[in-house]
Amino acid sequence: MRLRSLRTLTLAFLLAFLVVTLGTGFAIYSVTLRTIERLVDRRIQAVFDEIAGAFGDRSPEELVRRINAATRQRDTGDIGFLLLDAEGHALGGNIRMPRRLPLGFSTLHGRDRIIGLSAGRALVRDVGGGMTLTTVAETEPFDDYGPARIGIYLIGFGSILLIVVCGLSVFVVTISRRIGETRRTVDAIIDGDMTRRVPVDRSGGEFAQQAIAFNRMLDRISDLMASISNVSNDIAHDLRTPLARLRSQLALSRRRAESEAQRDDLDAAIAMSDELLEMFAAMLRIAEIEGGDRRAAFASLHLAALADEIVTMMQPVVADSGRTLVFDAAAPAEIVGDRHLLGQMLVNLIENGIRHTPVGTQIAIQVGATAAVATLIVTDTGPGIPADQRTLALRRFGRLDASRHDEGHGLGLPLIQAIVRLHRGTIALEDAAPGLRVVVTLPVR
């Protein structure tokens, strides 16, 4: 699992913190329990030595007397004793046990059915004459303290975990909100709204400073883009007027021409003027589309129905060019978009197929849809576009080596791409083997 998303990082941190917290709690519980057992073992060892005695009389009567005296003392009154003979019969003591313990230290539980003891430690030693003395002490200050201790740990560490989770949740929500605001701003700018900015928190802080810096960057980018756009648009606008006047003057001169040769030359000049006017109109059209203002006119429409209308309209044109046009609507595809622009996109795709393919080529249009996207595929059986030149074909004024002598100004596919981007879609040029496949993907409603 790669820790790249905020959610993954949060879950990884929570998992690590949970493991560390549980491990720490278990370690503290285990160390505490072992410490208590060691202290209890020392105590019952000292009491055993006092009762058994390193030297001296170890007769059954004397041992019983010492046991009875110890049970009456305040310091050892909570200690349990059991003196057994070689056959396991009780000779004295204040406890009885259902099982015979092995020599050495042992742990006792509630199943040993010692009255008043739920957990403890026992020391069994040989005191001579085949007799064994068992010394028992509790490891819990009161009955059923073990579950209570576990509950204390759960409450304590659970509170820590809850505080961390709550704090981390607040942190994640705050970060997610800030990231969401930035992402929405970026999406709006991608859609053409260059006036959108990241909200700045009035309380200040690092997030506010980050938003201010980000907005200053956007202001600078917006100014630079506006300058570039204004220059190109001003050039296009300013040149259209003298070009239109030039065309009118050429047309007037053609009517006054006295020879056929003059008229042919003027016709060629008029054609070049028309091509320049078309190029400037396409540039302005792309700038208008990329501005995003056309999105306000979006409405619900059926892509398959629109494609059927365009195909019906373009059938005679394609047939006159010596090519064939077929249409297949695999599934209905309802989208939100600009009907006029999408229709222009289809017309341009078909015209590209006519312009850049030989006679006899088949142009096929297919519309499909899934739950998330609608797909428009335009395929031809022409020469196609080499893989290393497809990026160039989508660039403004990008002219491929094979089409440099053909009509056109290299703005057809860039205009189509601008329309697709306006609709938040994607366009891809693929190999149809043979021919070119243009795949346009648009989000559904």
Side-chain angles (χ1 to χ4, degrees):
M1 180 177 63
R2 296 184 177 181
L3 304 181
R4 293 184 176 179
S5 67
L6 181 61
R7 178 180 299 177
T8 304
L9 287 172
T10 302
L11 292 177
F13 175 80
L14 284 177
L15 179 61
F17 183 80
L18 179 62
V19 170
V20 172
T21 302
L22 292 177
T24 303
F26 180 76
I28 292 175
Y29 176 80
S30 301
V31 170
T32 302
L33 190 60
R34 287 195 298 270
T35 302
I36 293 174
E37 289 179 351
R38 284 197 300 269
L39 294 174
V40 172
D41 289 348
R42 291 178 185 176
R43 185 185 182 202
I44 59 178
Q45 178 69 59
V47 173
F48 174 86
D49 292 340
E50 183 180 348
I51 297 298
F55 304 98
D57 187 6
R58 286 190 177 183
S59 64
E61 294 78 10
E62 178 61 21
L63 291 175
V64 171
R65 186 191 67 78
R66 294 175 185 174
I67 290 172
N68 292 336
T71 57
R72 291 192 297 267
Q73 295 178 9
R74 180 182 181 89
D75 294 340
T76 55
D78 60 339
I79 302 294
F81 302 97
L82 178 60
L83 182 63
L84 301 177
D85 61 14
E87 288 76 23
H89 300 133
L91 299 178
N94 58 353
I95 62 172
R96 295 293 181 268
M97 299 190 65
R99 64 187 177 102
R100 192 161 185 175
L101 300 175
L103 294 177
F105 289 100
S106 302
T107 299
L108 301 177
H109 303 282
R111 62 176 178 269
D112 291 308
R113 297 195 299 273
I114 299 177
I115 298 176
L117 184 142
S118 56
R121 294 284 289 175
L123 173 62
V124 181
R125 291 285 174 82
D126 187 356
V127 292
M131 296 182 296
T132 57
L133 176 61
T134 301
T135 309
V136 175
E138 288 185 308
T139 55
E140 295 184 353
F142 50 82
D143 292 343
D144 300 323
Y145 178 64
R149 184 190 297 119
I150 295 176
I152 293 173
Y153 288 148
L154 289 177
I155 293 174
F157 286 97
S159 300
I160 295 174
L161 184 62
L162 180 61
I163 292 173
V164 171
V165 170
C166 292
L168 190 61
S169 298
V170 173
F171 175 78
V172 170
V173 169
T174 303
I175 295 296
S176 299
R177 186 175 70 250
R178 300 296 182 182
I179 294 176
E181 291 172 350
T182 304
R183 184 175 59 252
R184 287 189 291 272
T185 300
V186 172
D187 290 340
I189 291 174
I190 292 175
D191 290 339
D193 184 7
M194 296 302 299
T195 63
R196 185 71 172 268
R197 295 295 181 267
V198 179
V200 179
D201 192 348
R202 297 180 179 178
S203 61
E206 295 299 326
F207 289 116
Q209 295 299 321
Q210 183 72 17
I212 292 174
F214 193 82
N215 290 340
R216 289 177 58 192
M217 179 188 68
L218 292 178
D219 291 339
R220 180 60 176 162
I221 293 175
S222 179
D223 292 341
L224 292 174
M225 291 184 62
S227 299
I228 296 174
S229 177
N230 290 337
V231 169
S232 60
N233 290 344
D234 290 344
I235 292 174
H237 279 291
D238 292 343
L239 288 179
R240 286 180 67 184
T241 299
L243 280 174
R245 292 174 181 173
L246 175 61
R247 189 191 185 286
S248 299
Q249 186 64 40
L250 290 173
L252 179 61
S253 299
R254 184 188 185 285
R255 288 195 296 270
R256 296 174 179 175
E258 297 179 354
S259 66
E260 189 65 27
Q262 290 178 338
R263 283 192 291 271
D264 291 340
D265 291 339
L266 289 171
D267 285 339
I270 291 173
M272 287 186 286
S273 299
D274 289 338
E275 184 177 352
L276 287 173
L277 287 171
E278 289 178 3
M279 181 178 64
F280 286 127
M283 291 174 57
L284 293 174
R285 184 66 166 161
I286 293 175
E288 176 192 1
I289 294 172
E290 290 181 340
D293 295 334
R294 293 295 298 263
R295 192 171 285 112
F298 277 18
S300 176
L301 60 93
H302 292 277
L303 184 61
L306 176 62
D308 188 31
E309 293 178 10
I310 299 299
V311 168
T312 302
M313 179 184 70
M314 294 295 294
Q315 282 282 9
V317 178
V318 176
D320 290 343
S321 69
R323 296 159 181 85
T324 58
L325 178 63
V326 296
F327 173 63
D328 176 25
E334 186 174 1
I335 63 172
V336 175
D338 188 309
R339 184 181 185 85
H340 176 72
L341 289 179
L342 291 174
Q344 181 180 352
M345 176 188 72
L346 281 165
V347 171
N348 284 12
L349 287 171
I350 296 173
E351 288 180 344
N352 278 348
I354 296 174
R355 183 179 297 114
H356 301 293
T357 61
V359 174
T361 298
Q362 176 180 282
I363 303 172
I365 297 179
Q366 181 180 1
V367 176
T370 64
V373 297
T375 304
L376 172 70
I377 302 176
V378 180
T379 306
D380 63 59
T381 57
I385 298 178
D388 59 347
Q389 297 190 43
R390 291 170 190 167
T391 302
L392 176 63
L394 293 172
R395 189 183 306 165
R396 294 186 189 183
F397 305 107
R399 300 299 301 275
L400 306 183
D401 295 337
S403 61
R404 289 192 177 275
H405 302 291
D406 297 339
E407 296 181 359
H409 37 66
L411 292 174
L413 283 176
L415 177 61
I416 295 171
Q417 182 174 238
I419 295 173
V420 172
R421 286 178 176 174
L422 180 70
H423 290 79
R424 300 186 179 92
T426 61
I427 181 172
L429 306 182
E430 301 176 355
D431 186 7
L436 176 67
R437 178 186 294 110
V438 181
V439 180
V440 176
T441 303
L442 302 172
V444 299
R445 296 186 59 182

